[in-house]
Amino acid sequence: MSDTVLLDIGQGVGIITLNRPEQLNACNQELKATLLATLRNVAADDSIRAVVLTGAGKAFCAGQDLREHADRLDAGDPHPLRTVAGDYNPIVAAIVGLRVPVIAAVNGMAAGAGASFAFAADLRVAAESASFLMAFANIGLTLDSGSSWLLPRLIGHARATAMCLLAEPVPADQAMEMGLANAVVQDKRVLDTALGLAVKLAAGPTAAYAAIKSSLGYAATSTLGQALAKEAELQARAGHTEDHRNAVAAFLRKQKPSFTGR
Ligand code: T3D
């Protein structure tokens, strides 16, 4: 497989690294195809119980490779934006659809679709030098890669509107205040901090985490009545897991539970 995306697996964690550092990990066709294939491999690998998504070098991801995009425009491609439906949509759906917790280690600039990849994660650990840029309007484009859905849910409609219309970088400390970042750490600690969180989550109740993610995702577009019904359905399933039974027993013995993920 291409080295534009790397996958390292250890301690129950899959670390996915976008790897075109000279281009700030901008997404060319090869990177997008490799990322999607990697996400699908991760989804199929039961040994991976948490995921870290990060970028090589000084940036997280600068979004669409604009050189490749310009070539398409220059070539008179009749559908120069087809990559949105063809590549970005399945990538974002694959990130959001992972059953295990996903942590974005935002090591630097996250722009355009690159910002959307970070928004699609469950948690974001940002480096002090990181920033988030809704770059679309700067190049005369509108929102894609799920940002219209994900961003307002993270920071609210008003802040999302400002970020998207003004299209200015939002630095890590401001992102933290907005609730966009869950933590801001020194640049040199960003991957280790995200990895530490991922290792902790990978040793947790994986089936319950999957249900929690599913429940929150479902409730985002449902009525209270529907959400209550979904919670009851998922809780009934959680009640049958080995982890639930063992954790209750451990609690009563005043012991720390250990989880197998089943
Ligand atoms: O097909 C479609 O377009 C549809 C899909 C849309 C999804 C999207 O993601 S649209 C948004 C695309 N991304 C952008 O508009 C961001 C463009 N980049 C920037 O605004 C800036 O580069 C950054 C704010 C991200 C970083 O600025 P800075 O000053 O830290 O770095 P730089 O000097 O601008 O960039 C460093 C190098 O990376 C430079 O290459 P060079 O001159 O050293 O050879 C630059 O051209 C390259 N680079 C940065 N972003 C991209 C890129 N190359 C290709 N595509 C990029 N997106």
Side-chain angles (χ1 to χ4, degrees), residues 96 122 149 153 208-222 227 230-231 234:
V96 173
D122 298 305
W149 196 93
R153 281 171 170 77
Y209 290 153
I212 288 167
K213 288 180 59 158
S214 174
S215 197
L216 289 168
Y218 181 86
T221 56
S222 65
K230 176 59 81 179
E231 286 176 359
L234 292 172

Side-chain angles (χ1 to χ4, degrees), residues 88-246:
Y88 289 108
N89 288 359
I91 288 170
V92 170
I95 298 171
V96 173
L98 283 172
R99 296 178 74 252
V100 299
V102 182
I103 300 161
V106 186
N107 53 305
M109 172 59 74
S116 298
F117 295 166
F119 302 157
D122 298 305
L123 300 169
R124 280 151 295 283
V125 175
E128 278 171 347
S129 70
S131 50
F132 298 85
L133 171 62
M134 296 311 286
F136 303 96
N138 290 340
I139 52 166
L141 286 181
T142 178
L143 306 177
D144 66 29
S145 307
S147 51
S148 65
W149 196 93
L150 296 162
L151 189 58
R153 281 171 170 77
L154 290 170
I155 60 173
H157 182 84
R159 285 169 157 165
T161 304
M163 263 186 87
C164 297
L165 291 182
L166 300 177
E168 289 167 356
V170 171
D173 55 348
Q174 215 178 311
M176 180 77 191
E177 277 169 34
M178 287 179 170
L180 194 49
N182 299 92
V184 178
V185 298
Q186 287 178 324
D187 288 12
K188 63 180 183 199
R189 292 193 50 233
V190 67
L191 187 55
D192 278 351
T193 304
L195 190 53
L197 263 177
V199 168
K200 180 173 151 64
L201 288 164
T206 305
Y209 290 153
I212 288 167
K213 288 180 59 158
S214 174
S215 197
L216 289 168
Y218 181 86
T221 56
S222 65
T223 63
L224 174 62
Q226 290 166 330
L228 287 168
K230 176 59 81 179
E231 286 176 359
E233 174 200 324
L234 292 172
Q235 198 68 297
R237 261 190 255 161
H240 287 295
T241 62
E242 199 176 291
D243 277 343
H244 168 61
R245 280 163 196 270
N246 290 343

Side-chain angles (χ1 to χ4, degrees), residues 39-59:
L39 288 163
R40 287 181 174 157
N41 287 341
V42 164
D45 185 340
D46 285 343
S47 76
I48 298 176
R49 292 170 63 190
V51 169
V52 172
L53 178 62
T54 193
K58 69 171 189 173

